[in-house]
Amino acid sequence: MAAMAQPSTTDDRVRRYQLFINGKFVDSQSGKTFESISPHDRAVVAVVAEGDKADIDAAVTAARGAFEGSWSSMPPGDRAKLLLKMAELIDTRAMDLGQLETLDMGGPVMMTSGMAQLAAEIFRYWAGMATKIHGITSTPMSPGEFLGYTLREPVGVVGGITPWNGPLIMAAWKTAPALACGNTVVLKPAEHTPMTAMELAKIGAEAGLPEGVLNVVPGFGPTAGAALAGHPGVDKIAFTGEHVTGRLIVQMSTSNLKTVTLELGGKSPHIIFDDVDLETAVAKALFGMYTNTGQICSAGTRILVQDTFYDRFVERFIERAGQIKMGNPLDFSTRMGPLVSEEQLRKVQRYVEIGKKEGATLRCGGGQPKDAELANGFYFEPTVFTGVDNKMQIAQEEIFGPVASIIKFHDEDEAVRIGNDVIYGLAAGVQTKDLKRAHRLARRLQAGTVWINTWHMIEPNSPFGGYKLSGYGRENGLAMVEHLTKLKQVWVDLNDFTMDFFGM
């Protein structure tokens, strides 16, 4: 059983975390640490050991030993029990985990505590799946009596590299299915948001995961991330992030031709026809756009509105956007918190200036709020551009912030053309009362997920992933088993005679 260890703390405000390798909390071999900063007020909330190549090597060695030891051959029912225990522990600590995520990432605690509960559901779903991974039998096409069947075997050591915008959910996506399929895991959380991944390591140890089954090495992309992606002892990489890094990971994976799945962001069209209720349309568009301050890969940042509905929609959307309650994300009444970092704040500011120069009309927001209580944080107002041409940078490039581009279209064909006219294809959405039209567009839109009269509907049993530069492979659901197992064909000769091919 994994050894239990608590991160040391100097006080209640600054937490200290070590690496988690082979069932133990340990310092990084270099002795380096880095700070995690609260996006609300720039206060240091954690000091974290900084892993690099040497630590990744140690974690991969531990994961390989656990895989070749008892884990891969453990009865699936026993793995399921451990995953269920992890789900129970996450549920018990959902509020605390949500608060840690809010301190790290800035998402409103109302959202992050709910996300912690969803993380528990992910482990619960994959606990059920652990006992349902099996092969098939095949009837031979040749004469004679033969038995053919397939085996689904775990790939081995899985490296998970997670982003900062949904730390605990992404850690659950990378960890739970890999463990359910009999793999071991080395997890590299984003340097901006390491705390809940480290808490997940504690939960795994408390649940009774054997040493080396789950290893967590926080660090930076060019060092720890690159070492994990290129490591010849890693059999699969699951990466969520942006497409430039995704391409580098694919290049590094050639060291041993490891399996790679990539979820690389998007610029999702939210297509709204004139047959819908105005208030409903606006509410859903706001939810699709400004949840988590727009820092969601599938955010509906390009809002395409039919010309006959455009003016009414724009006026009401701007009015409602200006009413979104910004504030301290630890306050349960807050609906929009800060951006994750100063770097992200500067990026959003830069894109607002680009939008102005391109000729789009800034209708609301566009800067930091005037509230003195928010002055030290990375806050940015809900921002709306109208008069946007889809060729503009603000319509083509992923801003990852609270900046909406509202684009006018005339008919269904134009909506599809504009919707598909980006390098990404992660998600798309349609609001209409015409179900025939909705289903037609679901087929025509080039996206891995299409939402009809809803948004952000993602569940553990539904595959999620992208087209085009939004990546390849899928997370969640049965489709994920394909990426986490190897398929082996077995043939058995059942004949009573032997054909002597070289006999006389």
Side-chain angles (χ1 to χ4, degrees), residues 437-482:
R437 170 197 283 157
H439 288 296
R440 282 197 304 271
L441 265 67
R443 288 180 175 272
R444 297 178 68 189
L445 290 166
Q446 298 168 2
T449 296
V450 177
W451 289 301
I452 297 174
N453 295 329
T454 187
W455 205 272
H456 291 316
M457 187 69 179
I458 304 172
E459 295 201 329
N461 63 350
S462 60
F464 184 76
Y467 289 14
K468 299 188 283 188
L469 286 190
S470 288
Y472 51 72
R474 292 295 180 268
E475 295 193 281
N476 301 332
L478 285 170
M480 201 170 184
V481 175
E482 297 279 345

Side-chain angles (χ1 to χ4, degrees), residues 91-102:
D91 260 339
T92 300
R93 302 175 189 178
M95 186 58 66
D96 290 339
L97 289 168
Q99 289 177 339
L100 286 177
E101 193 133 301
T102 293

Side-chain angles (χ1 to χ4, degrees), residues 25 58 122 240 244 362 383 428 430 449 480 494:
F25 283 95
I122 291 166
T240 299
V244 174
L362 179 63
T383 298
V430 180
T449 296
M480 201 170 184
L494 301 177

Side-chain angles (χ1 to χ4, degrees), residues 82-152:
L82 291 170
L83 294 178
L84 281 173
K85 181 61 176 176
M86 291 183 72
E88 292 170 7
L89 291 171
I90 294 170
D91 260 339
T92 300
R93 302 175 189 178
M95 186 58 66
D96 290 339
L97 289 168
Q99 289 177 339
L100 286 177
E101 193 133 301
T102 293
L103 288 172
D104 237 359
M105 185 264 290
V109 71
M110 183 198 71
M111 178 192 77
T112 56
S113 57
M115 296 293 273
Q117 292 172 330
L118 289 175
E121 287 303 313
I122 291 166
F123 275 88
R124 202 165 279 120
Y125 171 83
W126 283 100
M129 279 295 298
T131 57
K132 298 165 186 66
I133 298 168
H134 52 76
I136 59 173
T137 58
S138 52
T139 302
M141 300 173 65
S142 303
E145 293 294 324
F146 297 90
L147 171 64
Y149 63 91
T150 60
L151 297 173
R152 282 214 167 270

Side-chain angles (χ1 to χ4, degrees), residues 74-408:
M74 179 182 288
D78 291 345
R79 291 201 298 268
K81 290 175 184 176
L82 291 170
L83 294 178
L84 281 173
K85 181 61 176 176
M86 291 183 72
E88 292 170 7
L89 291 171
I90 294 170
D91 260 339
T92 300
R93 302 175 189 178
M95 186 58 66
D96 290 339
L97 289 168
Q99 289 177 339
L100 286 177
E101 193 133 301
T102 293
L103 288 172
D104 237 359
M105 185 264 290
V109 71
M110 183 198 71
M111 178 192 77
T112 56
S113 57
M115 296 293 273
Q117 292 172 330
L118 289 175
E121 287 303 313
I122 291 166
F123 275 88
R124 202 165 279 120
Y125 171 83
W126 283 100
M129 279 295 298
T131 57
K132 298 165 186 66
I133 298 168
H134 52 76
I136 59 173
T137 58
S138 52
T139 302
M141 300 173 65
S142 303
E145 293 294 324
F146 297 90
L147 171 64
Y149 63 91
T150 60
L151 297 173
R152 282 214 167 270
E153 300 176 335
V155 295
V157 176
V158 173
I161 303 176
T162 58
W164 45 256
N165 62 315
L168 184 56
I169 282 287
M170 292 292 104
W173 279 16
K174 301 294 186 281
T175 300
L179 299 182
C181 291
N183 303 290
T184 55
V185 174
V186 178
L187 185 67
K188 204 295 284 184
E191 60 269 22
H192 289 302
T193 54
M195 287 202 290
T196 49
M198 301 313 304
E199 294 295 329
L200 185 64
K202 289 169 54 181
I203 286 169
E206 185 175 342
L209 288 182
E211 294 178 356
V213 169
L214 172 59
N215 307 271
V216 184
V217 183
F220 293 84
T223 50
L228 186 60
H231 201 292
V234 173
D235 302 292
K236 180 193 183 297
I237 287 287
F239 171 75
T240 299
E242 45 84 34
H243 71 274
V244 174
T245 304
R247 285 169 162 160
L248 292 174
I249 285 173
V250 172
Q251 293 171 14
M252 289 183 282
S253 73
T254 59
S255 64
N256 62 335
L257 297 180
K258 58 175 63 67
T259 300
V260 177
T261 53
L262 304 169
E263 193 267 272
L264 304 178
K267 195 71 178 176
S268 302
H270 191 162
I271 300 170
I272 302 172
F273 287 90
D274 64 3
D275 61 344
V276 297
D277 173 73
L278 176 62
E279 293 301 321
T280 300
V282 168
K284 290 178 179 178
L286 288 167
F287 178 68
M289 175 62 243
Y290 295 117
T291 299
N292 203 24
T293 319
Q295 298 171 121
I296 297 181
C297 50
S298 55
T301 54
R302 291 185 300 145
I303 303 173
L304 280 55
V305 183
Q306 196 162 24
D307 49 13
T308 49
F309 192 54
Y310 183 87
D311 291 338
R312 292 172 57 214
F313 177 90
V314 165
E315 293 308 315
R316 185 59 176 148
F317 185 87
I318 291 170
E319 181 181 9
R320 288 286 310 278
Q323 296 169 353
I324 294 174
K325 179 173 172 50
M326 300 184 69
N328 187 332
L330 288 172
D331 183 340
F332 262 87
S333 66
T334 293
R335 292 297 178 266
M336 204 172 101
L339 294 160
V340 73
S341 65
E342 184 168 8
E343 177 187 9
Q344 196 64 20
L345 174 63
R346 301 296 171 229
K347 178 183 177 183
V348 173
Q349 290 172 329
R350 179 171 60 85
Y351 271 105
V352 169
E353 293 306 311
I354 288 171
K356 292 177 183 177
K357 291 177 182 178
E358 289 181 310
T361 303
L362 179 63
R363 297 293 299 273
C364 75
Q368 295 180 261
K370 305 301 187 290
D371 188 342
E373 294 183 5
L374 308 181
N376 287 333
F378 308 127
Y379 289 88
F380 201 84
E381 298 169 317
T383 298
V384 179
F385 278 105
T386 60
V388 178
D389 185 284
N390 196 58
K391 298 297 183 184
M392 293 178 177
Q393 272 184 266
I394 59 169
Q396 288 289 313
E397 298 178 9
E398 188 175 41
I399 300 172
F400 229 61
V403 181
S405 294
I406 306 183
I407 302 171
K408 188 183 297 185

